[in-house]
């Protein structure tokens, strides 16, 4: 019986060592997956920051263009002193010029 107990303990230890090796292998795989996930996260964060920068630049350009449009609209909408309008003289309203005939 003691012999069987030793055999069982030895087999149990071997099984535990196999489990430890499997767990170490899984740990390596999980560590690699974690590293890859972190790299993807970093790339996504950089991409997001680039997109935010592009958006901010576009927003600034749009605001600048709107400012130019508003400035142009304000300058064309400013009241301009109108020149006095002279009434158009019709031929029938014009004074008659004397009719000089030379040499007659």
């Amino acid at each position: 019986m003691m012999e069987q107990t030793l055999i069982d303990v030895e087999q149990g230890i071997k099984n535990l060592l196999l489990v430890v090796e499997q767990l170490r292998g899984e740990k390596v795989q999980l560590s690699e997956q974690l590293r890859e996930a972190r790299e993807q996260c970093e790339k996504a964060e950089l991409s997001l920051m680039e997109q935010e920068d592009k958006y901010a630049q576009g927003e600034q350009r749009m605001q600048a263009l709107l400012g130019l449009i508003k400035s142009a609209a304000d300058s064309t909408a400013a009241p301009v002193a109108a020149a006095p309008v002279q009434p158009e003289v019709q031929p029938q309203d014009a004074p008659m010029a004397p009719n000089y005939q030379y040499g007659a």
Side-chain angles (χ1 to χ4, degrees):
M1 184 145 160
M2 184 68 132
E3 178 88 19
Q4 187 61 38
T5 304
L6 287 175
I7 292 173
D8 290 343
V9 169
E10 187 178 338
Q11 188 59 43
I13 291 172
K14 286 179 183 179
N15 289 342
L16 286 175
L17 289 174
L18 287 175
V19 169
V20 169
E21 284 302 313
Q22 289 174 346
L23 290 174
R24 284 182 180 155
E26 289 178 16
K27 178 186 173 194
V28 169
Q29 289 176 342
L30 291 173
S31 294
E32 180 63 24
Q33 290 174 353
L34 178 61
R35 186 189 60 75
E36 289 173 1
R38 284 181 175 157
E39 285 177 6
Q40 289 176 349
C41 184
E42 275 184 35
K43 288 178 184 177
E45 285 176 345
L46 288 174
S47 176
L48 178 61
M49 287 190 297
E50 288 172 358
Q51 290 175 2
E52 288 173 341
D53 285 346
K54 286 179 184 178
Y55 175 80
Q57 290 172 357
E59 182 74 18
Q60 288 174 345
R61 288 173 36 205
M62 183 183 69
Q63 291 299 328
L65 289 173
L66 287 174
L68 287 173
I69 291 170
K70 185 178 184 298
S71 167
D74 289 346
S75 68
T76 58
V80 176
V85 177
Q86 297 290 330
E88 189 174 317
V89 177
Q90 299 295 327
Q92 68 268 14
D93 296 336
M96 297 295 278
N99 189 2
Y100 297 107
Q101 294 182 356
Y102 293 101

